[in-house]
Amino acid sequence: MDEISFGTDGWRATLDTFTDDRVRIVGQAVADYLADEGHTDPVLVGYDARETSPGFAESLAEVLAGNGFDVLLPERDCPTPLVAYAIVERGLSGALMVTASHNPPEYNGVKFIPSDGAPALPEITDAVADRLAEPDLLPESERGTIERVDIVSPHADHAIDLVGSDLSNLTVVYDAMHGSGRGVTDALIESAGAEVIRLRCERDPSFGGISPEPSAEYLDGLAEAMDEHDADLGVANDGDADRIAIATPDRGVLDENLFFAAVYDYLLESDSGPAIRTVSTTFLIDRIAEAHGEEVFETAVGFKWVADAMGEHDALIGGEESGGFSIRGHVREKDGVLMGLLAASAAAEEDFDARLDRIAAEYGDIVADKISIDCPDSEKARVIDDLEDELPETVAGRDIAKVVTLDGFKLLLEDGSWLLVRPSGTEPKMRVYAEADSQEAISELLDAGRELVAPLV
């Protein structure tokens, strides 16, 4: 079973490797894991908008039902966070989600979500991987049922109850990137009273020939539509709508670090609690927390670690610079649908640009960026080992104050800036992140990071 490898968020691969036979093997492994753990409640199988996803979902449903589990399938392709919420809302044994998230259309993937609705930790994914085996199905008379259900409405009702805002004076442009957020995120924001202008809200399994990645390079139309319609906010989701990007009238597509800061600032106006962020996420969160007498807890990159820490510390919000966030009172899975409503609620309370201007005035300017360096998966561990022996005493002329080894190497510099080098969990690349108080400083730090890593690859 060497072809099936569970990474940061399940198994993803190109379709020449991601085959129906191997998907069924994963389904059998999950069925065996659930049975061994004593789970008997139904299992949900969700799927995204990719061409092959419905068929893979039906194959997984057949295997799970063939092992005696009753299986629920959504009425349509759906966002991953809706699947996670349905697990808890319906008291299910867990779920399988067929998605390659923001990867290009030639990819697909599958992830297992346990009964608490939070991302599976390594001990669970390892236990599933240890059980990979050809399907072994029960006689027809002993198999479970397969039923189609609505998982959109319960999530929407919960989101409105949790966030609860009147958006009647707000105009929002929503870009689904042809993914599973279409008809879900936009409908939720509209149901709260906003006028919604829709972009790329038709299903297109090829995602218009690009990766359904809500980054600035793929969201040119969002800012243009905002200007055309004099909109207050732009919202975009990735392919399975677990991540969010927003755009503002003055700033365009917003750095996710600034979005995190703005939303945490908004939540602290009416609530209290710590924040969870990854090592690659801005220290601006720490400054806001400190001003409110709150704590920040740092985790390795990967929302599973954020979710775990959210549970441990009863966090008000948890997030990462790649656009994944959740809040207290919701399932501990990143949810771009819920966060779309929360962003609109924050914008209805105070103009996003005005809030960010105030945050900058109170806490200082923050600029963050990252680069990627190609590196085969098989070489990542060696590069990190070699890097330990090559760490300098200064970076771009700045003294190193501390080295954090939670995930790769994070070099905290004397002037408050930092540089992080870590292996990607989803692609054959090394990531280099930096944060400082100016774009010039960021460029210097990233150049220094490239010079440090590239010779080792």
Side-chain angles (χ1 to χ4, degrees):
M1 308 299 177
D2 292 341
E3 301 87 354
I4 302 173
S5 175
F6 287 86
T8 299
D9 201 13
W11 172 44
R12 293 182 196 171
T14 53
L15 291 171
D16 57 337
T17 301
F18 195 90
T19 63
D20 189 73
D21 287 344
R22 290 173 183 151
V23 167
R24 288 173 182 268
I25 287 170
V26 173
Q28 183 63 51
V30 169
D32 287 339
Y33 169 78
L34 291 174
D36 291 344
E37 292 294 313
H39 291 285
T40 58
D41 292 315
V43 181
L44 177 64
V45 180
Y47 55 94
D48 69 11
R50 294 166 192 268
E51 186 71 37
T52 56
S53 292
F56 286 139
E58 289 171 3
S59 295
L60 288 169
E62 290 172 7
V63 171
L64 289 163
N67 279 264
F69 288 95
D70 290 333
V71 181
L72 306 179
L73 285 168
E75 293 175 338
R76 50 155 280 186
D77 65 277
C78 57
T80 295
L82 272 64
V83 172
Y85 179 73
I87 294 170
V88 176
E89 190 255 339
R90 291 174 173 268
L92 305 179
S93 292
L96 281 161
M97 179 67 190
V98 179
T99 180
S101 190
H102 62 278
N103 285 69
E106 61 267 23
Y107 279 76
N108 215 324
V110 61
K111 60 185 289 185
F112 171 62
I113 309 173
S115 59
D116 62 358
L121 292 172
E123 57 262 31
I124 295 178
T125 54
D126 288 348
V128 171
D130 288 344
R131 289 168 169 80
L132 293 171
E134 296 291 339
D136 182 17
L137 308 185
L138 294 168
E140 191 75 36
S141 60
E142 299 177 29
R143 298 182 184 182
T145 61
I146 299 176
E147 178 186 0
R148 294 276 179 176
V149 295
D150 171 24
I151 67 170
V152 176
S153 299
H155 179 277
D157 292 342
H158 164 72
I160 291 292
D161 288 344
L162 183 60
V163 175
S165 292
D166 178 8
L167 308 181
S168 55
N169 294 319
L170 207 68
T171 299
V172 178
V173 178
Y174 175 66
D175 186 348
M177 302 194 78
H178 299 300
S180 293
R182 71 193 194 289
V184 180
T185 304
D186 50 328
L188 178 61
I189 294 172
E190 192 172 58
S191 73
E195 178 187 2
V196 178
I197 310 300
R198 292 168 169 84
L199 301 178
R200 293 188 284 189
C201 281
E202 308 80 28
R203 179 173 179 255
D204 177 0
S206 71
F207 305 111
I210 63 171
S211 300
E213 167 80 32
S215 57
E217 63 182 304
Y218 297 132
L219 296 176
D220 290 341
L222 188 59
E224 293 173 5
M226 287 181 64
D227 185 58
E228 179 184 349
H229 296 279
D230 194 25
D232 303 287
L233 186 71
V235 175
N237 288 136
D238 66 336
D240 67 330
D242 63 350
R243 292 167 51 205
I244 185 175
I246 74 160
T248 69
D250 293 346
R251 288 173 169 83
V253 177
L254 200 64
D255 183 294
E256 298 289 8
N257 289 294
L258 294 179
F259 172 68
F260 192 173
V263 172
Y264 189 35
D265 180 76
Y266 168 64
L267 291 173
L268 286 170
E269 292 175 352
S270 58
D271 207 342
S272 62
I276 311 297
R277 60 161 180 77
T278 64
V279 294
S280 60
T281 302
T282 180
F283 277 175
L284 185 54
I285 305 304
D286 303 58
R287 298 179 190 178
I288 294 171
E290 183 179 6
H292 289 80
E294 301 291 352
E295 291 185 274
V296 172
F297 297 92
E298 187 175 64
T299 74
V301 173
F303 202 82
K304 58 178 176 286
W305 305 118
V306 174
D308 191 46
M310 287 185 72
E312 180 180 352
H313 300 290
D314 188 29
L316 180 60
I317 188 171
E320 51 188 358
E321 53 78 33
S322 58
F325 305 93
S326 190
I327 61 174
R328 181 192 290 152
H330 191 48
V331 291
R332 290 179 292 117
E333 174 64 283
K334 54 185 182 286
D335 190 337
V337 179
L338 176 74
M339 295 307 296
L341 180 63
L342 185 63
S345 299
E349 185 72 23
E350 180 182 6
D351 175 82
F352 242 95
D353 286 309
R355 183 183 296 274
L356 288 168
D357 288 342
R358 175 172 54 77
I359 288 173
E362 292 181 17
Y363 306 111
D365 288 322
I366 287 288
V367 182
D369 205 349
K370 63 184 175 181
I371 59 173
S372 297
I373 299 171
D374 291 339
C375 179
D377 291 334
S378 60
E379 294 296 305
K380 290 175 179 176
R382 178 195 57 76
V383 170
I384 290 296
D385 287 343
D386 291 351
L387 184 59
E388 185 172 12
D389 297 327
E390 299 292 334
L391 291 178
E393 294 183 359
T394 63
V395 175
R398 299 163 175 83
D399 290 336
I400 296 174
K402 184 179 180 181
V403 178
V404 177
T405 57
L406 187 61
D407 186 348
F409 291 97
K410 186 174 186 179
L411 311 181
L412 306 183
L413 308 179
E414 289 284 3
D415 65 354
S417 59
W418 53 262
L419 181 76
L420 169 67
V421 178
R422 59 174 294 274
S424 169
T426 57
E427 296 181 280
K429 299 178 184 294
M430 297 294 296
R431 307 286 195 203
V432 181
Y433 306 78
E435 177 170 280
D437 59 4
S438 70
Q439 188 60 54
E440 181 182 3
I442 286 293
S443 298
E444 293 173 355
L445 290 174
L446 290 178
D447 285 346
R450 182 184 288 107
E451 291 174 7
L452 184 63
V453 176
L456 303 177
V457 175

